[in-house]
């Protein structure tokens, strides 16, 4: 359950713990971590065991045609053996180990480590995008919450105006038209307030989806905004090429492509391996017509060195090496393109941020001006020196100035976060 106020830090914590996209990215890191483990490197030997047992029961009849027993002079009788059991047992243990494979597994192992690094960068990009999405919705809730306060206050003023108009009409100081105009303005203000409240409810549901929380969870958000000092922002901009996650992913892809070339080149070299086995066989043979039964046990120990050299594989290795070099060239080309795009995006983001900050400053001053104008108009309206239409216009101008200031404030903050993401610092700041 949430506390009454959902702070920014609490929102980040819940997002990192529960967001579905981040959970998937975290699992992908675990998969890459398993892949780069020594158990998946090819450096360990393979050990195989086999065992078997065989049973046979047979009945045999051996006849001696024309043979005579020399002792009795009678024909020699047949020898019949029933249920003669033959049993065979075997077990073996085999060991295979690759001593040298042209350095293929060495570079593949390093490639898997770099793949793990790339997966971490991809997860970081997912987290950055999710955090940016989180605060886009969070600050929209803050903006709507502040707007509701503004609209609620103006609705109270409009209702007071209806009461005042009714009193003035009862005492003959006003016309029915002024009362009706005041009632229309109350209806419009009520509709605007209701629509804004519904937008707030919907936006809170959007945030609950990001937090993987119950959709109807109720909370308030923090409306205090702090901007990054210019000096610190300049430092981030100077190191943007070192920290931008897109550039870092491109560098990682280049290293992976370099390892691919080396892995494929290992096909030019021979493979040297060790093999060894230990086996046991036992045969239990039943007696026959001419031989007694016997038990034979055999123990075998075998070891050897193998060398395999594929002198020509039809050109497959040559083709793979050529294609991997082209893939590396493509990554280098992509790097140049990404550098230009990131520089453009940072320049645009910086320009947007500076522009929105300036707009926010102007809107702050505009609110002060419209508050003074509204206060004077309200006083003059009470004294009957201006019409209800003029008063309503001053009220509308104030509402517009206040809501525009809120919009400018949160727009500037979102622009700052977008700039921080491009500089690679979004996850390193205090919100």
């Amino acid at each position: 359950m949430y506390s009454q106020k959902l702070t920014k830090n609490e929102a980040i914590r819940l997002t990192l713990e529960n967001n579905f996209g981040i959970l998937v990215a975290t699992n992908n890191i675990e998969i890459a971590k398993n892949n780069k483990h020594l158990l998946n490197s090819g450096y360990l030997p393979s050990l195989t065991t086999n065992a078997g047992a065989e049973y046979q029961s047979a009945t045999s009849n051996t006849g001696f045609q024309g043979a005579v027993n020399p002792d009795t002079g009678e024909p020699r009788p047949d020898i019949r053996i029933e249920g003669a059991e033959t049993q065979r047992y075997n077990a073996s243990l085999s060991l295979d180990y690759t001593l040298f494979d042209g350095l293929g597994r060495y570079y593949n192992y390093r490639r898997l480590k770099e793949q793990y690094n790339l997966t971490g960068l991809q997860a970081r990009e997912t987290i950055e995008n999710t955090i940016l999405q989180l605060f886009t919705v969070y600050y929209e809730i803050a903006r709507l919450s502040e707007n509701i306060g503004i609209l609620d206050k103006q609705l109270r003023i409009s209702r007071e105006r209806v009461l005042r108009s009714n009193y003035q009409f009862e005492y003959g100081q006003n016309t029915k038209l002024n009362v009706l105009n005041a009632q229309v303005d109350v209806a419009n203000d009520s509709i605007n307030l209701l629509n804004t409240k519904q937008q707030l409810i919907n936006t809170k549901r959007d945030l609950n989806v990001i937090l993987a929380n119950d959709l109807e969870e109720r909370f308030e958000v923090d409306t205090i905004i702090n901007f990054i000092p210019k000096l610190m922002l300049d430092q981030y901009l100077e190191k943007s090429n070192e920290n931008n996650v897109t550039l870092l992913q491109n560098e990682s892809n280049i290293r992976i492509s370099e390892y691919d070339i080396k892995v494929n080149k290992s096909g030019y070299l021979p493979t040297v391996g060790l093999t060894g086995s230990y086996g046991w066989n036992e045969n239990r043979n039943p007696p026959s017509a001419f031989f007694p039964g016997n038990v034979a046990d055999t123990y075998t120990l075998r070891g050897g060195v193998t060398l395999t050299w594929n002198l020509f594989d039809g050109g497959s290795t040559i083709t793979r090496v050529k294609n991997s070099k082209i893939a590396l060239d493509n990554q280098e080309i992509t790097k140049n393109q990404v550098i230009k795009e990131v520089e453009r995006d940072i320049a645009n983001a910086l320009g947007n941020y500076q522009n929105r900050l300036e707009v926010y400053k102007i809107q702050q001053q505009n609110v002060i001006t419209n508050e003074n104008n509204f206060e004077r108009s309200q006083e003059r309206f009470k004294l009957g020196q201006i019409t209800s239409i003029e008063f309503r216009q001053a009220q509308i101008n104030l509402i517009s100035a206040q809501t525009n200031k809120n919009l400018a404030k949160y727009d500037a903050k979102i622009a700052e976060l977008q700039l921080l993401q491009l500089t690679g610092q979004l996850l390193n700041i205090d919100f």
Side-chain angles (χ1 to χ4, degrees):
M1 296 292 293
Y2 291 121
S3 58
Q4 185 176 3
K5 174 168 283 189
L6 178 64
T7 65
K8 301 180 185 74
N9 289 334
E10 180 70 5
I12 293 173
R13 184 187 67 80
L14 292 171
T15 301
L16 294 177
E17 290 179 0
N18 303 322
N19 181 266
F20 300 119
I22 292 178
L23 291 177
V24 171
T26 303
N27 285 338
N28 289 336
I29 292 178
E30 286 300 312
I31 292 173
K33 182 178 179 181
N34 293 334
N35 287 339
K36 80 177 184 70
H37 198 275
L38 184 64
L39 295 174
N40 192 46
S41 66
Y43 276 106
L44 299 179
S46 63
L47 192 61
T48 306
T49 183
N50 290 290
E54 182 181 343
Y55 173 81
Q56 177 181 310
S57 178
T59 299
S60 63
N61 187 71
T62 304
F64 303 91
Q65 297 179 0
V68 178
N69 190 325
D71 294 331
T72 63
E74 296 178 356
R76 186 171 180 179
D78 294 347
I79 299 176
R80 182 177 178 84
I81 300 175
E82 295 187 4
E85 296 181 350
T86 301
Q87 301 175 36
R88 296 185 178 91
Y89 304 97
N90 67 84
S92 65
L93 189 65
S94 300
L95 176 71
D96 291 288
Y97 182 67
T98 301
L99 290 175
F100 179 76
D101 67 344
L103 297 178
R105 63 181 173 181
Y106 170 74
Y107 289 115
N108 188 60
Y109 187 41
R110 297 187 65 177
R111 182 188 185 281
L112 291 172
K113 286 187 175 182
E114 190 57 45
Q115 187 66 49
Y116 170 72
N117 180 52
L118 176 60
T119 305
L121 291 172
Q122 291 169 342
R124 174 186 151 187
E125 183 179 33
T126 298
I127 293 172
E128 287 182 355
N129 290 335
T130 304
I131 294 299
L132 186 60
Q133 180 189 20
L134 164 70
F135 279 106
T136 299
V137 179
Y138 187 96
Y139 287 136
E140 178 65 7
I141 293 173
R143 185 184 73 84
L144 292 171
S145 298
E146 289 194 284
N147 284 356
I148 285 174
I150 294 169
L151 295 175
D152 187 61
K153 180 180 178 180
Q154 294 302 324
L155 177 59
R156 290 197 302 270
I157 293 173
S158 296
R159 284 173 175 167
E160 291 174 0
R161 181 178 144 214
V162 169
L163 292 175
R164 181 179 294 275
S165 297
N166 279 323
Y167 287 140
Q168 291 175 338
F169 175 71
E170 289 175 1
Y171 289 100
Q173 298 176 352
N174 206 347
T175 65
K176 187 64 176 177
L177 180 61
N178 288 331
V179 175
L180 294 175
N181 285 336
Q183 291 174 342
V184 168
D185 292 338
V186 167
N188 289 332
D189 290 345
S190 299
I191 292 172
N192 290 336
L193 181 60
L194 285 173
N195 288 337
T196 305
K197 285 182 176 180
Q198 186 59 48
Q199 290 176 17
L200 178 61
I201 292 172
N202 294 344
T203 309
K204 284 186 176 182
R205 290 195 184 104
D206 292 338
L207 186 60
N208 281 327
V209 170
I210 297 173
L211 302 177
N213 198 38
D214 183 83
L215 289 180
E216 303 305 323
E217 188 71 34
R218 296 291 181 235
F219 54 84
E220 301 298 327
V221 299
D222 188 359
T223 58
I224 298 175
I225 292 295
N226 295 312
F227 293 99
I228 300 291
K230 185 178 184 303
L231 181 61
M232 185 178 296
L233 193 59
D234 290 340
Q235 293 174 351
Y236 292 159
L237 289 169
E238 289 176 3
K239 298 182 178 180
S240 58
N241 288 339
E242 301 174 13
N243 299 315
N244 179 273
V245 70
T246 304
L247 291 175
L248 292 175
Q249 287 183 71
N250 185 258
E251 292 288 346
S252 183
N253 280 321
I254 288 175
R255 288 191 289 271
I256 289 173
S257 295
E258 290 172 344
Y259 288 137
D260 284 337
I261 294 175
K262 295 175 181 179
V263 169
N264 290 323
K265 281 185 176 180
S266 67
Y268 292 136
L269 299 175
T271 299
V272 180
L274 289 178
T275 61
S277 66
Y278 178 79
W280 166 74
N281 287 275
E282 180 178 283
N283 291 327
R284 295 178 177 269
N285 299 311
S288 65
F290 304 101
F291 300 99
N294 64 82
V295 177
D297 288 295
T298 304
Y299 299 91
T300 305
L301 180 63
R302 181 180 62 85
V305 178
T306 61
L307 185 145
T308 304
W309 197 340
N310 194 343
L311 297 177
F312 184 68
D313 60 359
S316 298
T317 300
I318 296 174
T319 302
R320 287 196 300 270
V321 171
K322 287 182 177 180
N323 288 340
S324 59
K325 287 181 178 180
I326 295 172
L328 174 60
D329 186 48
N330 284 340
Q331 289 293 344
E332 294 286 356
I333 295 172
T334 302
K335 175 183 177 180
N336 294 329
Q337 178 184 359
V338 169
I339 289 175
K340 290 296 183 183
E341 290 176 348
V342 169
E343 289 176 351
R344 176 205 62 196
D345 292 343
I346 290 177
N348 289 345
L350 180 60
N352 290 338
Y353 174 57
Q354 292 172 337
N355 180 70
R356 291 178 183 181
L357 270 182
E358 191 63 30
V359 169
Y360 177 47
K361 293 177 182 177
I362 294 173
Q363 291 292 0
Q364 286 178 306
Q365 184 60 46
N366 190 37
V367 167
I368 295 173
T369 302
N370 277 277
E371 284 176 342
N372 292 333
N373 178 62
F374 177 73
E375 289 174 1
R376 293 183 180 182
S377 297
Q378 194 173 32
E379 292 174 0
R380 295 180 64 190
F381 177 69
K382 291 177 181 179
L383 296 174
Q385 295 177 351
I386 62 173
T387 65
S388 61
I389 294 176
E390 292 173 316
F391 173 75
R392 179 60 178 175
Q393 187 60 51
Q395 187 182 23
I396 291 174
N397 289 341
L398 177 59
I399 294 173
S400 177
Q402 290 173 328
T403 55
N404 285 340
K405 187 200 77 170
N406 288 338
L407 178 62
K409 177 174 70 171
Y410 294 112
D411 276 353
K413 187 60 181 179
I414 293 299
E416 180 189 77
L417 296 181
Q418 291 170 340
L419 181 59
L420 289 171
Q421 181 187 22
L422 289 169
T423 61
Q425 299 295 336
L426 182 62
L427 304 181
N428 301 327
I429 62 168
D430 293 328
F431 289 89

